[in-house]
Structures are given as structure tokens and as C-alpha cells.
């Protein structure tokens, strides 16, 4: 069974710093990997989706990489801002039919 | 374009009761997935519907069921509620549920079972 792990569980950094969030998965047979953010009491917002054939995706200050063979993905956030404070979740799709396996999340706090 | 909407947003039930949650996908989206989020288990996939048919099902007991209507709106039902069913229930929609599509999530329904 696919297991998705995110380390660290929580992270606090001063505003303006660059940071990296990590995601690892046990079964490399995936269709895609997505990064989401979740604000307290809210649903999920999709940040980036990386297809299994891709190595990375970028959106603004966010860059996500995927190394399928080693079962790892990273989310790089440049020049962090207080508005980036949220829980970040990675999820892998193994069936290609929206059956996502989610990680446990990293709670990120940006200190002004 | 309106996002995914879920009703009700909050719900309190007692053990043994049943509950029905509703999800309206983004206009034009035909795939709807349901997830359960708890502090202990995190986010877990319940089931996915496309064109009124269940295409995928997660590892949940038969007390959890769902359906999808011809307008793509979906409902999920939980019968004989247990304390452990207390959770945030999220639904997500996409056009046809293919692997290159992003899923758009609703705000969730928070269910408390007493």
C-alpha cells in the first residue's frame, strides 16, 4: 500500500527566507504528484501538479520537483511571506482516476 | 465561475443516526471525489463518481455510501454513525477525472458525532 510521508511535521521560518518542504512515497508507480495548501478550517487549494514524466513545475515563487525513482518530491518556496503560513500537503495519484494518497502534511509558519 | 460548494458546512449528530452530505461541483465538472480528514488518519479517499457511476472506492466500511446525479451533484451518506466518524469531509471535482487534471476542493463539511 502506498505510504506518503512529509518531514518535517512543522516548520517556522522568518519572513523572506527560502525554504524546502519534503515529501516521500513508497511506491514509485504513480501517475502524478500534487502539492496542496490548506488553511485552518478550509478546504484544499491546489498549488502544483507534476505528471510522472515531468521533473519539476513552477508557479510564481513555488517550485516543485519530482524524483520518481527515489520516491521523493520537494516544494521550494522562495522569499517566504506571512501569507504562506498554512499546512502543505503532498498527494500521489496511483490509479490515474483521482484516488489520491495524501501525506500527513507540514504546518508552515512564517514569522513576520 | 463558482467553486465547489458543500452543504451543510457544520453538522452535529449522535451515535446511531445517519447523515447526508451534499457537494456541488464546478460547472462542467463531471468527476466528484470524496475524502475524510481526521487528526489521526489524515486525508483518506472515500470514493469517486463520474457520470453517475462509482469508479473508485477507498477502504471504508459499507456504512459509507454515495451517489451522483445527472447534473453531477453528489451526495454521500453515512449510516449508523460512530464517534470515529467525526471528521472534515471534503469533496473535489474535476472535468473528467483524468490524471493530468487538477482537483478542486470544496471548503468541507465538519461533522461532529456525539
Amino acid at each position: 500500500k502506498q505510504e506518503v510521508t512529509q518531514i518535517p511535521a512543522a516548520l517556522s521560518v522568518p519572513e523572506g527566507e527560502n525554504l524546502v518542504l519534503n515529501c516521500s512515497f513508497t511506491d514509485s508507480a504513480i501517475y502524478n504528484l500534487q502539492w496542496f495548501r490548506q488553511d485552518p478550517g478550509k478546504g484544499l487549494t491546489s498549488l502544483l501538479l507534476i505528471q510522472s514524466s515531468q521533473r519539476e513545475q513552477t508557479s510564481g515563487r513555488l517550485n516543485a520537483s519530482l524524483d520518481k525513482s527515489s520516491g521523493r518530491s520537494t516544494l521550494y518556496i522562495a522569499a517566504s511571506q506571512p501569507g504562506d503560513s498554512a499546512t502543505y500537503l503532498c498527494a500521489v495519484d496511483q490509479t490515474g482516476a483521482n484516488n489520491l494518497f495524501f501525506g500527513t502534511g507540514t504546518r508552515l509558519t512564517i514569522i513576520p | 465561475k463558482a467553486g465547489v460548494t458543500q452543504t451543510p458546512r457544520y453538522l452535529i449528530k449522535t451515535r446511531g443516526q445517519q447523515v447526508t452530505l451534499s457537494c456541488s461541483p464546478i460547472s462542467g465538472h463531471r468527476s466528484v471525489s470524496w475524502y475524510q480528514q481526521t487528526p489521526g488518519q489524515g486525508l483518506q479517499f472515500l470514493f469517486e463518481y463520474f457520470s453517475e457511476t462509482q469508479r473508485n472506492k477507498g477502504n471504508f466500511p459499507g456504512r459509507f455510501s454515495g451517489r451522483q446525479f445527472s447534473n453531477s451533484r453528489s451526495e454521500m451518506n453515512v449510516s449508523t454513525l460512530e464517534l470515529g466518524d467525526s471528521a472534515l469531509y471534503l469533496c473535489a471535482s474535476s472535468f473528467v477525472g483524468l490524471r493530468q487534471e487538477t482537483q478542486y476542493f470544496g471548503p468541507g463539511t465538519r461533522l461532529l458525532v456525539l
Side-chain angles (χ1 to χ4, degrees), chain A residues 31-32 34 36 38 41-44 46 49 51 89 93 95-100 102, chain B residues 31 33 35 37 43 45 48 56 88 90 94 97-103 105-107:
Chain A
Y31 282 97
N32 64 52
Q34 298 183 58
F36 295 87
Q38 185 174 29
K42 303 280 184 65
L44 276 65
S46 178
L49 182 152
Q51 299 292 343
L89 296 144
D93 186 348
T95 65
N98 287 339
N99 178 356
L100 298 180
F102 280 87
Chain B
S31 169
S33 299
Y35 295 85
Q37 186 176 30
L43 266 158
F45 173 77
E48 186 247 357
N56 281 285
L88 179 67
L90 296 164
S94 60
L98 296 180
R99 60 181 182 266
Q100 66 266 31
E101 293 183 310
T102 296
Q103 289 191 66
F105 280 77

Side-chain angles (χ1 to χ4, degrees), chain A residues 45-109:
Chain A
T45 301
S46 178
L47 299 172
L48 291 164
L49 182 152
I50 312 176
Q51 299 292 343
S52 61
S53 59
Q54 298 174 319
R55 297 283 296 186
E56 65 178 322
Q57 281 285 341
T58 298
S59 176
R61 295 182 293 109
L62 305 180
N63 176 278
S65 68
L66 174 64
D67 184 342
K68 203 173 72 161
S69 60
S70 68
R72 295 177 188 273
S73 176
T74 62
L75 178 66
Y76 174 83
I77 302 177
S80 58
Q81 303 171 357
D84 295 331
S85 297
T87 296
Y88 289 79
L89 296 144
C90 69
V92 298
D93 186 348
Q94 274 197 288
T95 65
N98 287 339
N99 178 356
L100 298 180
F101 287 89
F102 280 87
T104 48
T106 294
R107 185 180 302 173
L108 176 64
T109 302

